[in-house]
């Protein structure tokens, strides 16, 4: 095998590793009562059923906790990617609606550009 072929294979292997890391850009912890959609259902909704995600740089870590309320359900979704931290509270009539809303929030967060640090102007 020539040096050129070996280098070509190395480049392809490195690119495949980078693609795999980019495709696993969501780390979801889903806590919901029995009867609610499972974590896998939410992840599938985010990934479009492919089991993979492609998002902006870095892993999006998400912690979603679902609880019943007097009028339905509530989820608190906390996300972080690098130094960027977010939190959303969503209420809905059914747990399935909560799962769908969570998937939408995570999908939008996956594809959002990382926030620029804010700098106060001197003055």
């Amino acid at each position: 095998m020539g040096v050129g072929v070996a280098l070509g294979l190395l480049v392809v292997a490195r690119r495949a590793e980078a693609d795999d890391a980019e495709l696993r850009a969501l780390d979801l912890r889903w806590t919901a009562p029995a009867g609610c959609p499972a974590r896998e259902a939410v992840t599938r909704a985010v990934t479009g059923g492919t089991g993979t995600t492609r998002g902006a740089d870095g892993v999006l870590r998400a912690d979603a906790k679902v609880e019943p309320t007097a009028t339905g359900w509530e989820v608190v979704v906390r996300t972080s990617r690098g130094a960027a931290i977010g939190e959303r509270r969503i209420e809905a009539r059914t747990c399935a609606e909560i799962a769908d809303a969570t998937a939408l929030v995570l999908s939008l967060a996956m594809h959002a550009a990382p926030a620029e640090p804010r700098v106060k102007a001197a003055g």
Side-chain angles (χ1 to χ4, degrees), residues 5-25:
V5 172
L7 287 176
L9 290 173
L10 180 60
V11 168
V12 169
R14 292 288 180 180
R15 182 64 200 150
E17 288 174 7
D19 285 347
D20 285 347
E22 184 178 276
L23 291 173
R24 291 187 303 269

Side-chain angles (χ1 to χ4, degrees), residues 33 36 66-74:
C36 288
V66 181
E67 294 185 336
T69 66
T71 58
W73 296 88
E74 178 183 70

Side-chain angles (χ1 to χ4, degrees), residues 53-101:
T53 55
R54 249 187 219 283
D57 292 338
V59 173
L60 177 67
R61 298 191 193 300
D63 182 14
K65 185 172 183 180
V66 181
E67 294 185 336
T69 66
T71 58
W73 296 88
E74 178 183 70
V75 65
V76 177
V77 182
R78 291 183 175 93
T79 58
S80 65
R81 181 180 354 186
I85 297 171
E87 180 176 307
R88 299 280 185 271
R89 288 184 183 273
I90 304 167
E91 294 182 9
R93 290 177 299 166
T94 68
C95 202
E97 290 174 347
I98 287 289
D100 289 345

